[in-house]
Amino acid sequence: MKDIMNLPNKLTILRVLLVPLYIVSVFLISKYVAIAVFVLASVTDFADGKIARSRGLVTNFGKFLDPLADKLLVTSALVCFVQLGQLPAWVAIIVIGRDLAVDGLRMVAATKNKVMAAGWSGKIKTATTMFCIPIMLIEPLATLGWGIFTVNNLCVAIILVLNIYSMCDYFIHNGKVILEQ
């Protein structure tokens, strides 16, 4: 039996613990501290999976907590942006809805003993979102542009489009599992 408290799982737990620090940093400390916390949390996301796979440390605990930690981190960031007026609530709802829909599809697949692996569209969506969020926190950069064509709005559009594309991709390639009896 693999040790449940291995390095990848510790990194995932660290990511969960960084979420409240990120939120407090955004509103009470400094957006630059929030950027550092978010980047650190994002690095743990990329490191934990790579370490787990390369060292044979994949556990059911990690399979459960890793995607939950990712969603908690990104959802928290998006809700913060809604509060700050940098992201329309409907965009956050679409992103959260996409995550719930894909997770629901995964649950249905699991009941049929099928594993729905993370697709490239989901990985690109996650990486791009984790790249855009710190950019949106850099106030001089986020407001750069003219009219509605700002860096912030570009990041919002990229996050929105990639989330919709990723959801469609997952359902096109795996949606048949819902129709099977």
Side-chain angles (χ1 to χ4, degrees), residues 50-100:
K50 188 172 182 80
I51 293 167
R53 286 185 297 277
S54 69
R55 298 184 185 174
L57 298 173
V58 175
T59 64
N60 287 334
F61 178 78
K63 289 179 192 176
F64 165 75
L65 193 59
D66 181 66
L68 182 62
D70 296 345
K71 287 169 183 51
L72 185 59
L73 178 64
V74 170
T75 299
S76 296
L78 297 180
V79 171
C80 288
F81 284 129
V82 170
Q83 179 69 27
L84 293 169
Q86 285 183 253
L87 182 82
W90 64 269
V91 173
I93 290 167
I94 289 173
V95 172
I96 295 165
R98 177 257 178 227
D99 286 342
L100 292 171

Side-chain angles (χ1 to χ4, degrees), residues 8 17 20 25 27 45 55 60 86 103 105 109 114 134 139 147 158 161 167:
L17 295 174
S25 297
F27 295 111
D45 179 35
R55 298 184 185 174
N60 287 334
Q86 285 183 253
D103 287 348
L105 186 60
K114 295 181 180 179
E139 290 184 30
I158 290 169
V161 167
M167 181 178 64

Side-chain angles (χ1 to χ4, degrees), residues 81 86-87 132-139 142 152 155-156 159:
F81 284 129
Q86 285 183 253
L87 182 82
C132 283
I133 288 170
I135 291 172
M136 292 170 68
L137 285 167
I138 303 171
E139 290 184 30
N152 184 84
C155 287
V156 170
I159 290 169

Side-chain angles (χ1 to χ4, degrees), residues 13-72:
I13 291 169
L14 174 61
R15 188 162 61 258
V16 171
L17 295 174
L18 288 171
V19 170
L21 179 59
Y22 168 80
I23 295 166
V24 169
S25 297
V26 167
F27 295 111
L28 300 176
I29 301 173
S30 157
K31 289 184 180 174
Y32 294 102
V33 172
I35 291 168
V37 171
F38 189 88
V39 168
L40 175 61
S42 297
V43 168
T44 69
D45 179 35
F46 293 106
D48 64 7
K50 188 172 182 80
I51 293 167
R53 286 185 297 277
S54 69
R55 298 184 185 174
L57 298 173
V58 175
T59 64
N60 287 334
F61 178 78
K63 289 179 192 176
F64 165 75
L65 193 59
D66 181 66
L68 182 62
D70 296 345
K71 287 169 183 51
L72 185 59

Side-chain angles (χ1 to χ4, degrees), residues 103-179:
D103 287 348
L105 186 60
R106 280 197 167 102
M107 284 186 249
V108 170
T111 64
K112 298 176 182 193
N113 295 319
K114 295 181 180 179
V115 176
M116 210 176 87
W120 280 107
S121 64
K123 291 178 182 191
I124 291 169
K125 177 231 18 136
T126 299
T128 304
T129 300
M130 289 185 171
F131 177 78
C132 283
I133 288 170
I135 291 172
M136 292 170 68
L137 285 167
I138 303 171
E139 290 184 30
L141 181 59
T143 57
L144 189 64
W146 52 109
I148 62 168
F149 301 103
T150 63
V151 170
N152 184 84
N153 289 348
L154 176 63
C155 287
V156 170
I158 290 169
I159 290 169
L160 178 64
V161 167
L162 289 178
N163 270 272
I164 292 170
Y165 174 78
S166 172
M167 181 178 64
C168 292
D169 185 46
Y170 274 98
F171 275 87
I172 288 168
H173 291 98
N174 302 289
K176 63 183 174 273
V177 75
I178 294 172
L179 304 174

